[in-house]
Amino acid sequence: MGAQIIDGKAAGAEVRALVGERAAAFSEAAGRKPGLVGIQVGEDPASEIYQRMKAEAAEAAGMRSERVVLPAGTSQQELNARIAAYNADDAVDGMLVQLPVPAPLTEPEIANAIDPVKDVDGFSPGNLGRLMRGEPAPVPCTPSGVMWLLEKSGVEIEGAHAVVVGRSLIVGKPQAMLLLAANATTTVAHSRTKDLPALCREADILIAAVGRPEMIRGDWIKPGAAVIDVGINRTDDGLVGDVAFEEAVEVAGHITPVPGGVGPMTIAFLLANTLDAAVRRTGLGIPMKGD
Ligand code: NDP
C-alpha cells in the first residue's frame, strides 16, 4: 500500500499561473497592476523569508508589490497610521501584516485597522464573519489552499467526517468553516481534546494544524483517509510537519508532504485574494478565482 502524495508545489504553480493570467487582464483593463503591500515589524528571520517569498511571488504573477519593514518597538499608533495610509491609497488592493508581531503590537488591533476589502489574509472580524455567514469575502489563504488540494485530488468531501486538529484563527477555525460549507461533518480538536488518537482514527479527512513535529502517528489514521499536514516545524532534521509522514504514508489514501504540500498553496491563495480584491475594488469584469 501507499498513499497518493498530493503535490502542493505543482498545485500552487497552477493557481499562480491562473492568477497571473487574470492579473494581466486586470492590468490591461485597469491601466495599472494589482497592488499588494506586505508590512513586517522587526527582523524575525522567518518573517523576513515569508515576506520576501510573498513579494517575489506577487511580482512573478504580474502584480506590484511593496515591502515595508518597520523597526521593532513600533507603536500600535504608528503602525495604524501606516495602515490607514495604505487603506486610503487607491493603488493598493491588498495589504497584510506579517504575524506574529512583536509587543506592544497586537493582532486584533491590526485585524481591525485594515480595510476589510484590502484584508487579503482574511483575518478581520468582518471577513471571518462573512465566512461564517457564507457571504463572499477574502478567505484565509492556508485553509483555502487546503480545500483546493482536497478538491483537485478528488477527495470526496460531502458527507465525509473531517477532523481538524487545531483551532487557531488563521488555520483551524476557518478550515472548519470551509469544510462545513462543503458539507463535511466537521469536528475540531485541540489541546484539551480527550483521546485524540481515537478521534483522528474516525476521520475520513484529517487536517493537522498543530505546530508539533510528527505528533500524529501512523496508527492514528483511518486506512484510506486523506491527510493534510499544515504544520511547519523547524527541527534539527530540517522542516517536518505535524504528521509522522513515513508512517502515515503507509495507511492514508492521500497525503501532503512537508515541505511541498500546503505551504506553496498559502502564497498562491494570497495572490488569488489580492487579485479578487483588485477586481472587487474596481468593479472590472475580470473572472474571479474558481470561475
Ligand atoms: P497555533 O499555535 O495558533 O494553534 C495550534 C493549535 O493546535 C491550537 O488550537 C492548539 O490547541 C492545538 N494544539 C496544540 N497542542 C496540541 C495537542 N497536543 N493536541 C491537540 N491539539 C493541540 O498554530 P497555527 O494554527 O498558527 O499553526 C499550526 C501549524 O501550522 C504550525 O506548525 C504553523 O507553522 C503551521 N502553519 C503553516 C502554514 C502553511 O502555509 N503551511 C500557515 C500557517 C501555519 P489550543 O487552542 O487548545 O491551545
Side-chain angles (χ1 to χ4, degrees):
M1 236 173 109
Q4 186 181 321
I5 294 172
I6 298 175
D7 185 348
K9 244 173 125 174
E14 191 189 332
V15 173
R16 283 162 63 161
L18 283 172
V19 173
E21 278 171 28
R22 289 167 184 176
F26 174 88
S27 302
E28 203 171 309
R32 67 167 180 86
K33 294 177 174 181
L36 174 67
V37 172
I39 303 175
Q40 178 190 335
V41 186
E43 281 165 12
D44 173 62
S47 293
E48 190 87 31
I49 293 170
Y50 287 134
Q51 282 290 87
R52 195 158 7 100
M53 282 166 63
K54 289 171 185 176
E56 284 170 7
E59 271 162 29
M63 298 185 180
R64 186 183 69 82
S65 130
E66 196 175 326
R67 266 191 73 194
V68 181
V69 184
L70 301 175
T74 297
S75 71
Q76 191 72 56
Q77 210 179 8
E78 287 167 318
L79 177 59
N80 286 5
R82 290 300 282 261
I83 292 173
Y86 289 119
N87 282 342
D89 183 344
D90 236 10
V92 173
D93 299 296
M95 181 187 349
L96 65 94
V97 176
Q98 185 67 44
L99 299 175
V101 281
L105 303 173
T106 70
E107 186 278 328
E109 290 247 24
I110 293 167
N112 275 298
I114 297 175
D115 179 346
V117 177
K118 300 189 178 188
D119 166 33
V120 283
D121 268 337
F123 298 156
S124 67
N127 285 332
L128 288 170
R130 285 181 194 95
L131 172 61
M132 189 172 265
R133 293 171 64 92
E135 294 172 10
V139 173
C141 305
T142 303
S144 290
V146 168
M147 295 308 288
W148 176 281
L149 291 178
L150 287 171
E151 282 158 16
K152 291 289 165 177
S153 307
V155 173
E156 174 99 32
I157 302 174
E158 182 157 326
H161 184 193
V163 173
V164 181
V165 190
R167 56 174 165 180
S168 72
L169 215 55
I170 294 173
V171 189
K173 283 180 187 168
Q175 188 69 70
M177 279 301 128
L178 291 175
L179 287 161
L180 208 51
N183 295 322
T185 303
T186 304
T187 305
V188 182
H190 46 78
S191 66
R192 315 291 168 85
T193 296
K194 287 186 181 145
D195 201 355
L196 185 61
L199 178 65
C200 291
R201 265 179 228 118
E202 289 174 20
D204 303 307
I205 297 172
L206 181 61
I207 316 281
V210 184
R212 289 179 176 253
E214 302 188 331
M215 183 186 85
I216 292 177
R217 312 307 308 185
D219 63 1
W220 297 23
I221 291 165
K222 180 176 181 175
V227 178
I228 307 288
D229 191 351
V230 179
I232 299 179
N233 306 292
R234 287 175 177 78
T235 71
D236 294 342
D237 301 327
L239 281 190
V240 299
D242 290 341
V243 176
F245 182 87
E246 296 302 333
E247 296 172 17
V249 74
E250 297 298 325
V251 190
H254 293 83
I255 189 165
T256 57
V258 178
V262 176
M265 303 308 289
T266 299
I267 290 185
F269 274 86
L270 173 68
L271 303 183
N273 280 352
T274 304
L275 180 65
D276 285 354
V279 169
R280 276 201 189 98
R281 291 186 62 248
T282 54
L284 291 169
I286 313 295
M288 308 282 275
K289 72 169 182 247
D291 289 352

